[in-house]
Amino acid sequence: YYGGTGFPINTVNINLNDPAGSNGSDSNPDAAIHMPGATLFPYKIAAGDFNNDGYTDLAMSDIYSSATVKVILGPIGSGEHSTTDDDVITLTPPGGVSTLRFGFNMYAFPAPVDGVQFDWLYVTDENGYNVIAYSGDTDGLSNDRYYIFDKEDFDGSNLSGFNSSVAYLGDLDGDGLHN
């Protein structure tokens, strides 16, 4: 959860293994992730294993102040964390993609995708009609590994609401791979 009584709006509080936290209280979480300077953080959170190390990684969007997605690779242990830490990955919109509310919707797409064993992160912008698929790797996610799905990939028309929802639907054709 984030925000709440006594918590800054730019903080994600995490209770590990226990809904009420190991200390028995929601008001004192096991772990906290801070995003200094964010006006509303996180807007969306997606969890996946982007570097295939067996630990959950968190992607969190800041759509208002920086138009970025911050990725913290797991394991995320107890204590204080910050999106300004050296090991945090910052994803930015690729050239030609709107920065307007980048990270408006996000979804972690589980491996395997066509045999690739790293989870992918799908990120949308609000008004640009784009879905950016970032490919995982041993280093996590990168601004150098992505594919852009846009309205032109389909019929070229103005597809109102094209990227308004991103969802994982599973193995639709029964070939053992996610579609």
Side-chain angles (χ1 to χ4, degrees):
Y1 63 92
Y2 63 96
T5 304
F7 294 111
I9 196 68
N10 61 354
T11 299
V12 176
N13 296 297
I14 302 171
N15 291 323
L16 304 170
N17 302 318
D18 178 3
S22 61
N23 54 31
S25 169
D26 284 337
S27 63
N28 192 9
D30 298 321
I33 301 171
H34 306 285
M35 185 173 206
T39 54
L40 179 61
F41 171 78
Y43 188 77
K44 296 286 182 176
I45 299 175
D49 187 1
F50 305 119
N51 59 352
N52 195 30
D53 65 355
Y55 295 105
T56 300
D57 309 319
L58 291 180
M60 298 159 286
S61 66
D62 175 18
I63 66 171
Y64 293 110
S65 59
S66 68
T68 59
V69 172
K70 302 289 188 173
V71 181
I72 297 178
L73 300 176
I76 298 171
S78 61
E80 301 285 321
H81 306 276
S82 174
T83 57
T84 59
D85 293 345
D86 291 337
D87 57 347
V88 172
I89 298 166
T90 300
L91 299 176
T92 56
V97 172
S98 171
T99 59
L100 182 62
R101 297 191 178 136
F102 176 73
F104 188 73
N105 284 304
M106 294 192 314
Y107 190 83
F109 197 86
V113 177
D114 295 330
V116 176
Q117 297 301 311
F118 300 93
D119 290 354
W120 289 61
L121 180 67
Y122 284 49
V123 180
T124 72
D125 57 357
E126 184 179 35
N127 294 332
Y129 304 106
N130 296 295
V131 176
I132 301 92
Y134 290 93
S135 169
D137 200 336
T138 54
D139 295 327
L141 299 169
S142 167
N143 286 308
D144 298 326
R145 292 184 312 274
Y146 63 87
Y147 181 82
I148 300 173
F149 297 96
D150 64 22
K151 62 183 184 272
E152 302 297 324
D153 288 329
F154 296 92
D155 67 2
S157 64
N158 186 359
L159 299 173
S160 179
F162 165 71
N163 66 357
S164 61
S165 180
V166 179
Y168 166 66
L169 300 176
D171 178 9
L172 299 176
D173 58 8
D175 66 357
L177 300 174
H178 304 293
N179 302 113

